[in-house]
Amino acid sequence: MSLPTSNASTSRSIPASRVILLDDDDEAVLRPTPLTDEDALKLTSHDNGFPKQDEVREEQDARGDLEELLAVEDVEESDDDDDVEEYLEDILHTLLETEGATEQDANLPPSEVCTPEEITHYRSLLRELGTNKFIEETVTTGRTTPRKLCTAFNVAITPIIDLLSSLSDSSEPEDQDDATTNIWYRLLGMAIMRFLLHRQKLPQYNTIDNVVELLRTRKNILVITGAGISTNLGIPDFRSKDTGFYSKMSALGIDNPEDIFDLQRFKDDPKLFFEHAGETFPNLKTYSPTHGFIRLLQDKDKLLTNYTQNIDNLEEVAGIHEDKLIQCHGSWASATCMTCDHKVRGSSIRETVTKGKVPYCPVCIQRLSQPAPTPQPVQKRKRSPTTTINKPTKRRNNTFDFDVDASDSSDTDYNIPQPGVLKPDITFFGEQLPTRFFDRFRHHDMARVDLVLVIGTSLKVAPVSEIPLALPPEVPQVYVSREVCRHVVFDVTLLGDCDVVVGELVRRAGWQSEGGGSGQGAVVECTDEEKGWWAVVNG
């Protein structure tokens, strides 16, 4: 099961050189070298043109943001310029779907939408001339408009046109026109940068047999995994409709399920987390065929690093070596006291967690159970006469009882020491990823990787989602999952159950996987030859 963490935005260069930098808060993020084309930055008025790798907003939410944006009479002079850019990024992220943009604009006059020939021409021209001269040749000369040019870069403009026409504003018409034009320019700038930042498909890799040959010949394979490699074991992912952890929490009446994994909320009251966390804490002694496939790559001395977003710790069960494994979001393998930093094995708190109770630090409990001086009273403000006063709870033998109801109070309360809560070593919202994640990628993997396998993840959570974009463009990349990933270009996409797909790869490679792998061939069918998309199902 993977755990989403806080997002990090990134910009990316067209050249192959890439670095890892620190953001404004001194938090390490994957950031390739920024574009040097000043015109591109002018178009976006934003240092990081690439949209945040965030959970994609629903179109309705994006339209609501755009309505709020258009309420500003002059976007360019708004004090909330950063918010404007964030709105535009979210809108663009929603509308930039490689499938469906043409369909949404099907009812527009042909003169307002780029033809397939024009799309090919404009994209080639952009890469040939660079952003600055491209804008001069197209928009500045009046050959086309920013609005029409957006359609050459997968932006469906009909939803924006409809919304703009339905909005009324108290400002002067010319001011509204200026704001509208500004929006098209900025969307075009972001769309162009997004297009340039996208890795281009390597034309020599198109089939499942190409993938098998890569597996046989490559020696430093980087594997990125997500919840999809564990779901066959009964471990839910987070975001699947109806079956995902968040959907289940919503059904229980929790308005914002992500709050369960919010660090500040956990510090304020850990009960919410532990009441529901047991489902994410599997007690398994086995692992999936996909885990076994990764172990097989390790046994064949081909595994460079496995970056897993899962917190179930099944990689350890499968025998993936610690020096080959980066648990990007931590795991239940251990827990740490929030007070004294004492660390325990996750297995030691399993029984408590599965009962929905808060685990406390045994070291703190032992220390606080020793006889101690009588605590000094702390005078509190007087309550109103109508307030019911309860007698203080007595504590026998002057020892600490951590089950005492903390709601009991009186005019004089005691500062009673509390034992520390054992927080599982998973990365909550508000926590930075382990520094080892960034160190390993920057100092070890970037210079060595010769093949990338992305398995069982939608790549929607940064900074893991940025790894494929930060790698050298000549490194082949393969995607394995049930659904297509549309915001990253892969050389070959194998669609289906992860265990079935890797089983077919193992079979075709002539390997025998310790963790499984079917001896029976799967049915493999090409769904898009140009994009290298293949469906793989059980035979």
Side-chain angles (χ1 to χ4, degrees), residues 95 140 204 219 230 234 255 291 311 325 338 359 463 499:
L95 298 178
T140 306
Q204 65 268 39
K219 299 296 184 181
S230 297
D255 294 334
H291 290 99
I311 61 176
L325 179 64
M338 299 284 285
D499 294 341

Side-chain angles (χ1 to χ4, degrees), residues 191-440:
I192 285 176
M193 289 192 71
R194 185 182 175 98
F195 173 77
L196 291 175
L197 300 178
H198 265 186
R199 139 182 217 281
Q200 290 186 281
K201 185 183 181 305
L202 300 176
Q204 65 268 39
Y205 305 113
N206 299 287
T207 70
I208 187 171
D209 288 327
N210 291 150
V211 177
V212 172
E213 184 61 24
L214 287 169
L215 289 174
R216 288 196 186 111
T217 58
R218 299 301 165 109
K219 299 296 184 181
N220 291 288
I221 302 176
L222 187 151
V223 182
I224 302 171
T225 52
I229 73 170
S230 297
T231 51
N232 285 347
L233 298 173
I235 303 173
D237 61 15
F238 272 82
R239 294 184 176 83
S240 291
K241 186 177 181 181
D242 299 328
T243 60
F245 180 79
Y246 287 155
S247 292
K248 292 180 179 180
M249 295 302 100
S250 295
L252 293 176
I254 299 176
D255 294 334
N256 188 3
E258 291 186 359
D259 283 350
I260 295 174
F261 295 97
D262 181 81
L263 180 62
Q264 190 57 52
R265 175 67 67 90
F266 182 90
K267 290 179 178 178
D268 293 341
D269 183 7
K271 291 181 181 178
L272 176 65
F273 173 81
F274 286 109
E275 284 174 356
H276 305 287
E279 191 171 352
T280 73
F281 193 0
N283 185 18
L284 298 175
K285 303 301 181 184
T286 186
Y287 48 89
S288 72
T290 304
H291 290 99
F293 170 72
I294 300 169
R295 167 67 184 270
L296 180 63
L297 294 178
Q298 174 183 274
D299 292 346
K300 289 182 172 292
D301 201 25
K302 290 176 174 289
L303 180 64
L304 178 64
T305 304
N306 178 195
Y307 289 85
T308 178
Q309 300 170 88
N310 298 341
I311 61 176
D312 52 36
N313 200 41
L314 292 182
E315 292 79 17
E316 181 179 292
V317 177
I320 306 300
H321 296 161
E322 185 178 353
D323 64 342
K324 298 281 188 181
L325 179 64
I326 300 293
Q327 294 177 311
C328 305
H329 300 156
S331 80
W332 281 99
S334 59
T336 304
C337 175
M338 299 284 285
T339 299
C340 72
D341 292 329
H342 176 66
K343 191 177 288 288
V344 301
R345 291 289 299 173
S347 56
S348 69
I349 65 172
R350 185 188 307 280
E351 183 177 355
T352 302
V353 172
T354 53
K355 291 179 179 179
K357 296 182 178 181
V358 178
Y360 291 96
C361 174
V363 173
C364 289
I365 293 174
Q366 177 64 28
R367 174 173 53 84
L368 295 171
S369 296
Q370 301 301 317
T374 303
Q376 297 299 314
V378 177
Q379 194 68 29
K380 299 179 66 177
R381 67 180 180 84
K382 293 291 185 179
R383 301 177 183 269
S384 63
T386 58
T387 303
T388 301
I389 305 298
N390 297 323
K391 292 183 178 180
T393 301
K394 294 182 179 179
R395 295 168 175 80
R396 295 186 299 273
N397 300 327
N398 199 28
T399 60
F400 175 73
D401 180 1
F402 59 89
D403 284 329
V404 173
D405 187 352
S407 63
D408 290 344
S409 61
S410 68
D411 285 343
T412 301
D413 280 357
Y414 293 95
N415 283 335
I416 302 298
Q418 299 291 318
V421 173
L422 288 171
K423 175 189 171 296
D425 291 332
I426 60 180
T427 307
F428 279 53
F429 290 107
E431 285 188 295
Q432 293 185 10
L433 268 67
T435 56
R436 184 167 176 258
F437 169 89
F438 301 100
D439 292 342
R440 175 80 177 191

